Amino acid sequence: MILYDAQDKTYTLHTKNTTYQMKVWDYNILLHAYYGPRLSGGDLSYPLRCADRGFSPNPSEAGTSRTFSLDTFPQEYSTCGVGDFRLPSIELELPSGSRTADLRYVSGEVRRGKYGLEGLPAFYGGEEEWETLSILLRDAAAQVEVELLYGVREEYDLITRAVRVKNAGNETVRLCRCASLCLDFVRSDLDLITFNGAHVMERCPSRAPLRPGVQSVDSVRGASSHQHNPFVILCDRDANEDSGLCIGAMLLYSGNFLAAAEADQFENSRLVMGLNPYHFSWTLEPGAVFTAPEAAMVCSPCGFGQMSRQFHKAIRKDLIRDPWAGRRKPVLINHWEATEMYFTADKLVKIAQDAPELGLELFVMDDGWFGARLDDNAGLGDWFVNENKLPGGLRALVDRIKALGMEFGIWIEPEMVNEDSDLYRAHPDWALNVPGRGPSRGRNQLVLDFSRQDVRDHIYGQIKAVLSSADVSYIKWDMNRSLTEVWSAALPADRQGEVYHRYVLGVYEFAERLRRDFPHILIEGCSGGGGRFDGGMLHYTPQIWCSDNTDAVDRLRIQYGTSFCYPVSTMGAHVSAVPNGVSKRITPMETRGVVAMHGTFGYEMDLSKCTPEEKETVRRQTAFFKEHCDLIHDGDYYRLSDPFRNGPYTAWEHVSHDKREALVSLVTGPFRGAPPFLTLRIKGLDPALRYRVNGEGSWSGEVLMQVGWPLPILRGDYQALQLYLEAE
Ligand code: GLA
């Protein structure tokens, strides 16, 4: 519910459990008044105090009055160069060369439904569920208008934000910074949690108290990155899974981003999130509009668990567009870890041969099927089937796979090119490179200039022809290096600051075309595993390969960190062979299955090499997963322990919406002598219902939640256990 109080000049956004308020203050400055647990109403700006503070200047309209400063009051969208010295949200370069922005409130409009963003991913939904608030701000001197957009999804406690900047004057201006979200707090006793890592170890949470000054995470790699995720949490110092105020903020963007928090001199704080200003500038001709990517916030007054569950629901229902929505997705088998690029059609068929009988439903052919792709030094950019490997073309192989009773999926990496390719030999200028430099190589490949329509059209044409040549129902879209030497031959010198963002817009346009031309194809995103795991890609690719690290123990941590924002149904996760390719660790197959069920679920191994016992395990696991898939992928998710604490086990749980079913999964740590007696307290049950556990007994929800379930002593390292609870 969005309310405007004309007397108080406040806009109040209510969700089921939270309230957000902004207020038009003196001189038409838009202040941020409140974000927190739901309140019944009123003007919540009353604690804001006017005072003369040294070195905090006063707006020129204030004349000789010294008690109001942009530097001391919480701002709804911070400006720069006119008195607020904290993190700016927007920076304009005007024809005079000045670099300031000064925004004043003009008007606001509330309407039903959800705004959309041309060419950018955004939450979507109908007039029943969504409301939009549009606030118009103006910089009179610059003749620039800024529209702040807010989408309110009451049920999920979700507030989305986006920003449009319009040049309403007659001269060209340049936008040098344009954040999507600015959130001020009149306190700084908060913790900041970020999700960090590296290739093969993504999204590990890191929590620290805000300290004076700016703390930030970002990406300048052209993709959202393995290193830092565009999702952060600000929370009470003592917030935990079940209590404390926490606010999660995600950016729906797959390129360079910045998420910065600042604790200021008066112990207030600010979070700013959006496009990274590094190497960013956007030329706005008169009348032109720039749209900043969408950000989305969930505030939970009672801990991380509820915040995550609200994000999960919103992402599943109102962000992802899934051709399989409402249907169980096929359990897949991918041969990458078994063969890498060294395969023939016969080898692939051999791996697929036993799969249907074991319950697998989709065969994915990974990297190595096209051009002169004998290893990772050649072939990218030449998207035609290598008939030496696949005689008779794609169709012949797909027919063989389909004859086994399986669907077929294919790997692509459209944004990349090898210098050893027909494409590069014909169009060396299609790769990003700065004249006179590099290019730097990553995995011995270069990045195509996806900011260019002609480049995208060419690649799209090739890939469309391949996809049209056979019955393909799944694509794995990879992206295996970071961007360097970012310069486009197609843009003039003064517009090179647009290339990073135009690249991402190009990726989105390409994805949208794939979705339009092949609406039935399920696309799994991937960037060397989880290098582009963000809300932007999820709008186009309902699932993303979570990490190139398939070691079950490391995956417990990676998937735990990922789950703070992203639902289990989006996390690509497979059972692979041991010793694991990354860690060399040996874990039981049972455990690998339980961990992969914490995601999309599939296998990545040579099934033809499995023992009869292993095959039996695969059969059992796929049957179990299919039976409980709705509960796992659609249920409410609870983290029951933190794998980074090196406790005796890692446990998590899925509970159905009606609380009549729950699945608890648990993996122990390394075995130690004299193991303690452990009791696991289960969460989210109905206290009044009675449950059977793995088909036996009768336990009240109340008892299982308060007293818990006595865990058996599991001998051996990394043993797994699952408890299926069903109400009587
Ligand atoms: C990336 C992916 C892997 C695999 C290889 C193929 O690393 O994450 O799963 O597809 O590329 O080259």
Side-chain angles (χ1 to χ4, degrees), residues 534-554:
D534 56 68
M537 284 317 284
L538 283 176
H539 191 54
Y540 308 92
T541 68
Q543 59 195 52
I544 299 176
W545 183 227
C546 207
S547 178
D548 272 350
N549 186 347
T550 55
D551 172 82
V553 178
D554 283 348

PDB file of all heavy atoms in Angstrom, residues 534-554:
ATOM      1  N   ASP A 534      23.331 -13.501 -10.561  1.00  0.00           N
ATOM      2  CA  ASP A 534      22.707 -12.279 -10.063  1.00  0.00           C
ATOM      3  C   ASP A 534      21.261 -12.210 -10.519  1.00  0.00           C
ATOM      4  O   ASP A 534      20.826 -12.955 -11.400  1.00  0.00           O
ATOM      5  CB  ASP A 534      23.495 -11.058 -10.545  1.00  0.00           C
ATOM      6  CG  ASP A 534      23.631 -11.023 -12.057  1.00  0.00           C
ATOM      7  OD1 ASP A 534      22.613 -10.829 -12.744  1.00  0.00           O
ATOM      8  OD2 ASP A 534      24.754 -11.211 -12.566  1.00  0.00           O
ATOM      9  N   GLY A 535      20.540 -11.280  -9.907  1.00  0.00           N
ATOM     10  CA  GLY A 535      19.120 -11.134 -10.218  1.00  0.00           C
ATOM     11  C   GLY A 535      18.864 -10.676 -11.640  1.00  0.00           C
ATOM     12  O   GLY A 535      17.774 -10.900 -12.171  1.00  0.00           O
ATOM     13  N   GLY A 536      19.858 -10.051 -12.269  1.00  0.00           N
ATOM     14  CA  GLY A 536      19.684  -9.646 -13.668  1.00  0.00           C
ATOM     15  C   GLY A 536      19.583 -10.861 -14.562  1.00  0.00           C
ATOM     16  O   GLY A 536      18.616 -11.049 -15.305  1.00  0.00           O
ATOM     17  N   MET A 537      20.563 -11.762 -14.458  1.00  0.00           N
ATOM     18  CA  MET A 537      20.544 -12.954 -15.318  1.00  0.00           C
ATOM     19  C   MET A 537      19.336 -13.831 -15.014  1.00  0.00           C
ATOM     20  O   MET A 537      18.787 -14.475 -15.904  1.00  0.00           O
ATOM     21  CB  MET A 537      21.841 -13.766 -15.157  1.00  0.00           C
ATOM     22  CG  MET A 537      23.062 -13.189 -15.844  1.00  0.00           C
ATOM     23  SD  MET A 537      22.824 -12.536 -17.509  1.00  0.00           S
ATOM     24  CE  MET A 537      22.712 -14.005 -18.517  1.00  0.00           C
ATOM     25  N   LEU A 538      18.925 -13.853 -13.752  1.00  0.00           N
ATOM     26  CA  LEU A 538      17.818 -14.754 -13.404  1.00  0.00           C
ATOM     27  C   LEU A 538      16.510 -14.375 -14.099  1.00  0.00           C
ATOM     28  O   LEU A 538      15.599 -15.190 -14.202  1.00  0.00           O
ATOM     29  CB  LEU A 538      17.611 -14.786 -11.884  1.00  0.00           C
ATOM     30  CG  LEU A 538      18.620 -15.627 -11.108  1.00  0.00           C
ATOM     31  CD1 LEU A 538      18.381 -15.510  -9.618  1.00  0.00           C
ATOM     32  CD2 LEU A 538      18.568 -17.100 -11.538  1.00  0.00           C
ATOM     33  N   HIS A 539      16.430 -13.148 -14.577  1.00  0.00           N
ATOM     34  CA  HIS A 539      15.234 -12.752 -15.316  1.00  0.00           C
ATOM     35  C   HIS A 539      15.154 -13.501 -16.660  1.00  0.00           C
ATOM     36  O   HIS A 539      14.083 -13.678 -17.225  1.00  0.00           O
ATOM     37  CB  HIS A 539      15.298 -11.248 -15.564  1.00  0.00           C
ATOM     38  CG  HIS A 539      14.042 -10.644 -16.083  1.00  0.00           C
ATOM     39  ND1 HIS A 539      12.829 -10.794 -15.454  1.00  0.00           N
ATOM     40  CD2 HIS A 539      13.797  -9.876 -17.176  1.00  0.00           C
ATOM     41  CE1 HIS A 539      11.902 -10.133 -16.143  1.00  0.00           C
ATOM     42  NE2 HIS A 539      12.452  -9.583 -17.184  1.00  0.00           N
ATOM     43  N   TYR A 540      16.307 -13.927 -17.165  1.00  0.00           N
ATOM     44  CA  TYR A 540      16.365 -14.601 -18.469  1.00  0.00           C
ATOM     45  C   TYR A 540      16.694 -16.083 -18.328  1.00  0.00           C
ATOM     46  O   TYR A 540      16.293 -16.890 -19.155  1.00  0.00           O
ATOM     47  CB  TYR A 540      17.443 -13.944 -19.344  1.00  0.00           C
ATOM     48  CG  TYR A 540      17.293 -12.449 -19.428  1.00  0.00           C
ATOM     49  CD1 TYR A 540      17.950 -11.606 -18.535  1.00  0.00           C
ATOM     50  CD2 TYR A 540      16.449 -11.879 -20.381  1.00  0.00           C
ATOM     51  CE1 TYR A 540      17.791 -10.230 -18.591  1.00  0.00           C
ATOM     52  CE2 TYR A 540      16.288 -10.498 -20.444  1.00  0.00           C
ATOM     53  CZ  TYR A 540      16.962  -9.689 -19.537  1.00  0.00           C
ATOM     54  OH  TYR A 540      16.783  -8.331 -19.592  1.00  0.00           O
ATOM     55  N   THR A 541      17.508 -16.409 -17.323  1.00  0.00           N
ATOM     56  CA  THR A 541      17.956 -17.792 -17.162  1.00  0.00           C
ATOM     57  C   THR A 541      17.488 -18.266 -15.780  1.00  0.00           C
ATOM     58  O   THR A 541      18.046 -17.862 -14.768  1.00  0.00           O
ATOM     59  CB  THR A 541      19.493 -17.894 -17.291  1.00  0.00           C
ATOM     60  OG1 THR A 541      20.121 -17.260 -16.185  1.00  0.00           O
ATOM     61  CG2 THR A 541      19.998 -17.237 -18.549  1.00  0.00           C
ATOM     62  N   PRO A 542      16.459 -19.101 -15.735  1.00  0.00           N
ATOM     63  CA  PRO A 542      15.845 -19.457 -14.452  1.00  0.00           C
ATOM     64  C   PRO A 542      16.780 -20.176 -13.492  1.00  0.00           C
ATOM     65  O   PRO A 542      16.479 -20.287 -12.314  1.00  0.00           O
ATOM     66  CB  PRO A 542      14.698 -20.382 -14.844  1.00  0.00           C
ATOM     67  CG  PRO A 542      14.511 -20.217 -16.305  1.00  0.00           C
ATOM     68  CD  PRO A 542      15.791 -19.709 -16.870  1.00  0.00           C
ATOM     69  N   GLN A 543      17.901 -20.679 -13.995  1.00  0.00           N
ATOM     70  CA  GLN A 543      18.866 -21.307 -13.109  1.00  0.00           C
ATOM     71  C   GLN A 543      20.271 -20.954 -13.577  1.00  0.00           C
ATOM     72  O   GLN A 543      20.483 -20.624 -14.740  1.00  0.00           O
ATOM     73  CB  GLN A 543      18.657 -22.816 -13.045  1.00  0.00           C
ATOM     74  CG  GLN A 543      18.764 -23.543 -14.374  1.00  0.00           C
ATOM     75  CD  GLN A 543      18.183 -24.953 -14.291  1.00  0.00           C
ATOM     76  OE1 GLN A 543      17.059 -25.163 -13.858  1.00  0.00           O
ATOM     77  NE2 GLN A 543      18.989 -25.930 -14.705  1.00  0.00           N
ATOM     78  N   ILE A 544      21.210 -20.983 -12.647  1.00  0.00           N
ATOM     79  CA  ILE A 544      22.588 -20.599 -12.961  1.00  0.00           C
ATOM     80  C   ILE A 544      23.515 -21.613 -12.305  1.00  0.00           C
ATOM     81  O   ILE A 544      23.342 -21.963 -11.124  1.00  0.00           O
ATOM     82  CB  ILE A 544      22.886 -19.176 -12.434  1.00  0.00           C
ATOM     83  CG1 ILE A 544      21.949 -18.150 -13.095  1.00  0.00           C
ATOM     84  CG2 ILE A 544      24.347 -18.810 -12.689  1.00  0.00           C
ATOM     85  CD1 ILE A 544      22.077 -16.729 -12.579  1.00  0.00           C
ATOM     86  N   TRP A 545      24.496 -22.082 -13.106  1.00  0.00           N
ATOM     87  CA  TRP A 545      25.469 -23.041 -12.572  1.00  0.00           C
ATOM     88  C   TRP A 545      26.197 -22.351 -11.420  1.00  0.00           C
ATOM     89  O   TRP A 545      26.826 -21.318 -11.579  1.00  0.00           O
ATOM     90  CB  TRP A 545      26.403 -23.470 -13.694  1.00  0.00           C
ATOM     91  CG  TRP A 545      27.427 -24.514 -13.360  1.00  0.00           C
ATOM     92  CD1 TRP A 545      28.751 -24.460 -13.673  1.00  0.00           C
ATOM     93  CD2 TRP A 545      27.219 -25.766 -12.712  1.00  0.00           C
ATOM     94  NE1 TRP A 545      29.385 -25.605 -13.243  1.00  0.00           N
ATOM     95  CE2 TRP A 545      28.462 -26.423 -12.641  1.00  0.00           C
ATOM     96  CE3 TRP A 545      26.098 -26.403 -12.156  1.00  0.00           C
ATOM     97  CZ2 TRP A 545      28.630 -27.667 -12.052  1.00  0.00           C
ATOM     98  CZ3 TRP A 545      26.259 -27.650 -11.563  1.00  0.00           C
ATOM     99  CH2 TRP A 545      27.507 -28.271 -11.517  1.00  0.00           C
ATOM    100  N   CYS A 546      26.065 -22.947 -10.228  1.00  0.00           N
ATOM    101  CA  CYS A 546      26.409 -22.241  -9.000  1.00  0.00           C
ATOM    102  C   CYS A 546      27.911 -22.067  -8.829  1.00  0.00           C
ATOM    103  O   CYS A 546      28.380 -21.064  -8.299  1.00  0.00           O
ATOM    104  CB  CYS A 546      25.842 -23.056  -7.843  1.00  0.00           C
ATOM    105  SG  CYS A 546      25.464 -22.129  -6.409  1.00  0.00           S
ATOM    106  N   SER A 547      28.660 -23.073  -9.265  1.00  0.00           N
ATOM    107  CA  SER A 547      30.114 -23.016  -9.111  1.00  0.00           C
ATOM    108  C   SER A 547      30.735 -24.134  -9.935  1.00  0.00           C
ATOM    109  O   SER A 547      30.139 -25.205 -10.064  1.00  0.00           O
ATOM    110  CB  SER A 547      30.493 -23.220  -7.647  1.00  0.00           C
ATOM    111  OG  SER A 547      31.899 -23.212  -7.511  1.00  0.00           O
ATOM    112  N   ASP A 548      31.939 -23.908 -10.435  1.00  0.00           N
ATOM    113  CA  ASP A 548      32.679 -24.997 -11.082  1.00  0.00           C
ATOM    114  C   ASP A 548      33.214 -25.977 -10.048  1.00  0.00           C
ATOM    115  O   ASP A 548      33.776 -27.009 -10.407  1.00  0.00           O
ATOM    116  CB  ASP A 548      33.850 -24.433 -11.894  1.00  0.00           C
ATOM    117  CG  ASP A 548      33.426 -24.068 -13.308  1.00  0.00           C
ATOM    118  OD1 ASP A 548      32.303 -24.418 -13.704  1.00  0.00           O
ATOM    119  OD2 ASP A 548      34.224 -23.427 -14.017  1.00  0.00           O
ATOM    120  N   ASN A 549      33.074 -25.635  -8.803  1.00  0.00           N
ATOM    121  CA  ASN A 549      33.478 -26.537  -7.726  1.00  0.00           C
ATOM    122  C   ASN A 549      32.270 -27.410  -7.362  1.00  0.00           C
ATOM    123  O   ASN A 549      31.290 -26.933  -6.809  1.00  0.00           O
ATOM    124  CB  ASN A 549      33.919 -25.699  -6.515  1.00  0.00           C
ATOM    125  CG  ASN A 549      34.486 -26.556  -5.393  1.00  0.00           C
ATOM    126  OD1 ASN A 549      34.332 -27.774  -5.401  1.00  0.00           O
ATOM    127  ND2 ASN A 549      35.121 -25.919  -4.429  1.00  0.00           N
ATOM    128  N   THR A 550      32.373 -28.711  -7.692  1.00  0.00           N
ATOM    129  CA  THR A 550      31.266 -29.611  -7.375  1.00  0.00           C
ATOM    130  C   THR A 550      31.572 -30.470  -6.142  1.00  0.00           C
ATOM    131  O   THR A 550      30.836 -31.412  -5.847  1.00  0.00           O
ATOM    132  CB  THR A 550      30.942 -30.548  -8.565  1.00  0.00           C
ATOM    133  OG1 THR A 550      32.140 -31.228  -8.930  1.00  0.00           O
ATOM    134  CG2 THR A 550      30.394 -29.785  -9.743  1.00  0.00           C
ATOM    135  N   ASP A 551      32.655 -30.149  -5.439  1.00  0.00           N
ATOM    136  CA  ASP A 551      32.963 -30.887  -4.206  1.00  0.00           C
ATOM    137  C   ASP A 551      31.825 -30.647  -3.206  1.00  0.00           C
ATOM    138  O   ASP A 551      31.469 -29.504  -2.896  1.00  0.00           O
ATOM    139  CB  ASP A 551      34.284 -30.372  -3.631  1.00  0.00           C
ATOM    140  CG  ASP A 551      34.552 -30.965  -2.256  1.00  0.00           C
ATOM    141  OD1 ASP A 551      35.050 -32.091  -2.204  1.00  0.00           O
ATOM    142  OD2 ASP A 551      34.223 -30.306  -1.247  1.00  0.00           O
ATOM    143  N   ALA A 552      31.272 -31.741  -2.690  1.00  0.00           N
ATOM    144  CA  ALA A 552      30.054 -31.623  -1.872  1.00  0.00           C
ATOM    145  C   ALA A 552      30.289 -30.783  -0.616  1.00  0.00           C
ATOM    146  O   ALA A 552      29.402 -30.046  -0.180  1.00  0.00           O
ATOM    147  CB  ALA A 552      29.555 -33.018  -1.486  1.00  0.00           C
ATOM    148  N   VAL A 553      31.492 -30.859  -0.056  1.00  0.00           N
ATOM    149  CA  VAL A 553      31.749 -30.130   1.195  1.00  0.00           C
ATOM    150  C   VAL A 553      31.872 -28.626   0.913  1.00  0.00           C
ATOM    151  O   VAL A 553      31.279 -27.800   1.612  1.00  0.00           O
ATOM    152  CB  VAL A 553      33.007 -30.689   1.887  1.00  0.00           C
ATOM    153  CG1 VAL A 553      33.301 -29.915   3.154  1.00  0.00           C
ATOM    154  CG2 VAL A 553      32.817 -32.171   2.189  1.00  0.00           C
ATOM    155  N   ASP A 554      32.608 -28.278  -0.128  1.00  0.00           N
ATOM    156  CA  ASP A 554      32.684 -26.855  -0.493  1.00  0.00           C
ATOM    157  C   ASP A 554      31.319 -26.338  -0.937  1.00  0.00           C
ATOM    158  O   ASP A 554      30.944 -25.194  -0.662  1.00  0.00           O
ATOM    159  CB  ASP A 554      33.698 -26.641  -1.617  1.00  0.00           C
ATOM    160  CG  ASP A 554      35.132 -26.689  -1.103  1.00  0.00           C
ATOM    161  OD1 ASP A 554      35.322 -26.661   0.126  1.00  0.00           O
ATOM    162  OD2 ASP A 554      36.060 -26.756  -1.937  1.00  0.00           O
TER     163      ASP A 554
END
